[in-house]
């Protein structure tokens, strides 16, 4: 793997790591390896069960940021925010296709979309909440071109992309909306037989109006405040502490944003008296789960 070349293609920096937020720090029986599994260049290693990142090996793909259930990895001003701005400038329900920065931005596609948008990074960097935003909460059909992932040097990231897409589609279905995300590898039957010509837009060059510019500045300031608040250390596992003080009492910020958004969507659907499917599919949801073995539990409380 040509690490300097990939670092140049993705740009940016290695994520910051807050190891104290790791599931393995919070629960002594946790055995999470999601970041290690997603990191193709093996830049993340678990030392004493906690993640350590080697910035010389990191290619800045962002897969660990999206896959960690407790927001251990973070980046200031990630390109996904600029991508969201680019999408804001495009017609709301126009079907679009996302391609990553490693594939050739061909002007033809088999996906039934109005345009292709090239993202600066690997598509695995997009969190479920960001995918939900890009899809206009399900109003916009959004294709992700993952046809090159199997042959990509970062191919472990493909599992992260598929999991995020399945999560968003599952959540949309749970609030009564049509799942709007599609993957080339999993939805091949919906691809067109013949390729069509479509423009390729640069996801890092939003056509921002004056109003949009000041809106983006305000959003940046809000993000900085949010980041500062997030930096307050999470409650740690303390061996002698009562059980109810060992587990974290706050939701990881990205999960909280996702839940807030879903709550708004669900109340919107309720207001419209749309039928709701209350059976939320748990498999693949981006939330940490603690499994208790009733046979091994002493009931100590
Ligand atoms: S997953 Fe990507 S961004 Fe995260 S440490 Fe590995 S190479 Fe760096
Ligand atoms: S894993 Fe797929 S989406 Fe990610 S960089 Fe490679 S080809 Fe692109």
């Amino acid at each position: 793997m040509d690490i300097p070349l990939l670092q140049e293609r993705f740009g940016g920096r290695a994520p910051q790591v807050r190891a104290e937020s790791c599931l393995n720090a919070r629960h002594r029986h946790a055995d999470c390896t999601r970041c290690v599994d997603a990191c193709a260049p093996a830049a993340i290693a678990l030392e004493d069960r906690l993640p350590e990142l080697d910035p010389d090996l990191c290619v800045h793909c962002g897969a660990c940021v999206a896959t960690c259930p407790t927001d251990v990895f973070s980046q200031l001003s990630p390109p996904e925010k600029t991508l969201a701005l680019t999408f804001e400038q495009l017609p709301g329900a126009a079907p679009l296709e996302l391609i990553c920065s490693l594939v050739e931005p061909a002007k033809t596609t088999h996906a039934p979309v109005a345009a292709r948008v090239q993202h600066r990074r690997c598509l695995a960097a997009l969190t479920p909440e960001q995918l939900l935003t890009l899809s206009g909460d399900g109003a916009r059909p959004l294709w992700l071109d993952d046809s090159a992932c199997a042959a990509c040097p970062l191919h472990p990231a493909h599992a992260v992309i598929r999991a995020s897409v399945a999560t968003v589609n599952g959540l949309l279905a749970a609030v009564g909306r049509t799942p709007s995300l599609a993957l080339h590898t999993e939805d091949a039957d919906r691809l067109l037989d013949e390729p069509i010509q479509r423009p390729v837009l640069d996801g890092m060059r939003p056509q921002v109006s004056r109003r949009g510019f000041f809106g983006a500045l305000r959003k940046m300031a809000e993000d900085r405040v949010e980041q500062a608040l997030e930096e307050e250390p999470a409650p740690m596992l303390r061996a002698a502490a009562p059980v109810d003080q060992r587990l974290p009492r706050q939701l990881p910020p990205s999960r909280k944003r996702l839940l807030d958004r879903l709550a708004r969507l669900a109340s919107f659907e309720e207001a419209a008296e749309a039928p709701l499917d209350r059976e939320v599919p748990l498999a693949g949801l981006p939330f940490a789960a603690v499994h208790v073995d009733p046979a091994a539990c002493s009931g100590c409380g």
Side-chain angles (χ1 to χ4, degrees):
M1 186 183 303
D2 189 338
I3 288 176
L5 178 78
L6 289 170
Q7 287 174 335
E8 193 188 320
R9 290 293 281 274
F10 291 137
R13 294 188 191 156
Q16 294 166 322
V17 183
R18 291 200 313 162
E20 71 272 17
S21 297
C22 175
L23 272 185
N24 298 339
R26 292 173 164 197
H27 196 283
R28 66 190 149 182
H29 294 306
D31 195 16
C32 184
T33 58
R34 288 172 68 143
C35 57
V36 176
D37 298 342
C39 181
I44 304 175
L46 294 180
E47 297 290 337
D48 287 334
R49 301 172 66 241
L50 299 183
E52 285 192 358
L53 190 156
D54 181 345
D56 293 333
L57 291 178
C58 173
V59 296
H60 318 163
C61 68
C64 55
V65 178
T67 199
C68 175
T70 52
D71 292 352
V72 165
F73 306 90
S74 63
Q75 288 172 308
L76 265 184
S77 308
E80 287 69 36
K81 294 213 163 138
T82 314
L83 181 70
L85 266 181
T86 305
F87 268 59
E88 270 179 29
Q89 313 295 316
L90 300 169
L96 295 173
E97 180 179 38
L98 273 170
I99 55 176
C100 72
S101 61
L102 295 194
V103 304
E104 192 55 38
K107 289 193 175 157
T108 57
T109 177
H110 287 266
V113 293
R116 315 186 82 201
V117 183
Q118 187 160 38
H119 184 34
R120 161 75 69 82
R121 293 210 278 189
C122 172
L123 301 183
L126 290 158
T127 64
E129 193 238 345
Q130 288 162 342
L131 286 170
L132 202 55
T133 302
L134 299 182
S135 77
D137 293 333
R140 179 203 302 287
L142 182 62
W143 281 81
L144 283 78
D145 185 353
D146 62 340
S147 54
C149 295
C152 175
L154 302 180
H155 61 85
H158 193 202
V160 178
I161 300 171
R162 292 168 62 193
S164 296
V165 166
T167 295
V168 174
N169 280 339
L171 292 173
L172 284 170
V175 294
R177 297 203 167 195
T178 307
S180 65
L181 268 56
L183 286 168
H184 277 240
T185 56
E186 292 184 2
D187 302 285
D189 54 327
R190 289 164 49 201
L191 290 170
L192 305 170
D193 292 338
E194 296 297 328
I196 48 174
Q197 294 261 349
R198 287 296 179 256
V200 181
L201 311 177
D202 183 347
M204 294 303 287
R205 289 185 195 280
Q207 307 292 313
V208 184
S209 63
R210 189 179 160 79
R211 191 171 157 205
F213 175 75
F214 286 109
L217 272 187
R218 196 189 62 231
K219 185 81 182 65
M220 240 166 90
E222 287 169 1
D223 288 344
R224 290 282 161 97
V225 171
E226 192 176 304
Q227 176 118 10
L229 291 175
E230 284 171 18
E231 268 158 24
E232 188 165 318
M236 291 283 292
L237 176 72
R238 285 182 291 124
V243 167
D244 67 348
Q245 290 175 24
R246 289 184 198 165
L247 293 173
R249 276 174 255 165
Q250 75 235 36
L251 275 174
S254 67
R255 310 306 163 210
K256 182 168 184 324
R257 284 196 296 272
L258 183 59
L259 284 176
D260 287 348
R261 193 180 193 104
L262 286 167
R264 280 201 301 277
L265 273 182
S267 57
F268 176 83
E269 299 295 348
E270 269 172 352
E273 293 184 7
L276 271 178
D277 175 9
R278 288 292 179 194
E279 291 293 312
V280 179
L282 288 176
L285 288 187
F287 306 111
V290 176
H291 299 283
V292 177
D293 178 355
C297 174
S298 64
C300 65

